[in-house]
Amino acid sequence: MKQKRIELPDLPYAYDALEPVISKKIMQLHHTRHHLAYVTGANAAMDRLEKFREGTGLEIDYKAVMRDLSFHLSGHKLHSIFWTNMKKAAKNNMPDGALLKKLEEQFGSFEKFQAEFAGAAKAVEGSGWAALVKDEEDLHIVEIQNHNLLGVVGTTPILVLDVWEHAYYLDYSNDRGKYVDSWWSVVNWDDVAKRLG
Ligand code: MN
């Protein structure tokens, strides 16, 4: 079977569901323009490779196509996790049960986990993500530059935070720190617990 082309997934909530933490305007643009561009880009890279395989006589620039596939497919995957990692804002929003216990064991306390994750998010140079990833029994906080650099290969992200300017600039201008600190109230900890497994 040939590689399946990607479709833009629906959001599990309305565009205004995360207000006032993330505005409807940002969510609309972010989903229908930015995420869609990664879907289109990943499909275009697959199309180019498929045409080349079919022996149409086209030349192919492997370096460029591999770079495009990595960037766009990673962008698609991270955004798909990001949308489901969020829900309507709640006060005193925090994990419980096995997830809370795991975070406490691995990072010292929930507050220490939050400080480390937020620290990583605020420190991303340029465009990127903070991610909580699972690696067999362990969890790690990593920084991802763009969508595909500096991450740890073979690990699975279970909580991701987009700190590209397109994710917050309309609401927070250049204050990424305020965006990161506000974001905790919309984290869908049930989704993170499910991904922890
Ligand atoms: Mn984004």
Side-chain angles (χ1 to χ4, degrees):
M1 196 170 79
K2 288 176 180 169
Q3 286 122 352
K4 229 193 323 190
R5 297 307 186 260
I6 299 160
E7 285 177 28
L8 182 68
D10 289 333
L11 294 188
Y13 38 70
Y15 285 118
D16 62 359
L18 306 180
E19 289 194 341
V21 178
I22 304 176
S23 66
K24 180 179 178 179
K25 180 94 180 152
I26 282 190
M27 289 302 291
Q28 270 174 332
L29 289 170
H30 201 170
H31 182 242
T32 65
R33 304 290 170 84
H34 295 279
H35 188 170
L36 181 63
Y38 304 130
V39 168
T40 307
N43 288 338
M46 286 189 263
D47 288 345
R48 286 210 297 283
L49 288 160
E50 193 175 295
K51 281 217 176 75
F52 186 68
R53 276 175 218 135
E54 286 165 356
T56 51
L58 292 174
E59 289 294 310
I60 193 160
D61 178 350
Y62 274 114
K63 196 168 171 181
V65 179
M66 295 293 126
R67 193 199 160 282
D68 278 356
L69 184 68
S70 170
F71 178 80
H72 292 289
L73 190 52
S74 300
H76 162 63
K77 287 186 169 294
L78 283 167
H79 283 89
S80 300
I81 298 168
F82 184 51
W83 307 136
T84 54
N85 273 167
M86 299 188 290
K87 61 164 182 54
K88 196 175 161 51
K91 275 190 186 138
N92 305 316
N93 185 34
M94 64 180 284
D96 57 12
L99 174 58
L100 178 60
K101 194 163 164 260
K102 188 77 182 174
L103 291 171
E104 288 170 344
E105 280 170 5
Q106 297 258 296
F107 298 99
S109 70
F110 177 64
E111 290 68 30
K112 283 183 180 166
F113 154 74
Q114 273 188 307
E116 188 173 324
F117 189 95
K122 292 171 192 179
V124 171
E125 278 183 292
S127 300
W129 300 74
L132 175 67
V133 301
K134 67 173 177 179
D135 177 19
E136 297 180 12
E137 295 304 305
D138 284 328
L139 298 175
H140 297 283
I141 291 165
V142 301
E143 173 194 331
I144 298 167
Q145 244 175 39
N146 293 340
H147 301 311
N148 52 338
L149 307 171
L150 299 188
V152 179
V153 172
T155 62
T156 306
I158 63 171
L159 176 68
V160 298
L161 172 56
D162 190 339
V163 293
W164 281 58
E165 284 186 349
H166 68 226
Y168 63 87
Y169 215 85
L170 285 177
D171 291 345
Y172 297 88
S173 351
N174 61 336
D175 196 348
R176 186 195 288 179
K178 192 175 173 201
Y179 160 66
V180 170
D181 293 336
S182 307
W183 177 75
W184 292 110
S185 65
V186 295
V187 173
N188 183 345
W189 290 110
D190 290 341
D191 181 68
V192 182
K194 211 161 65 187
R195 292 175 183 280
L196 177 64

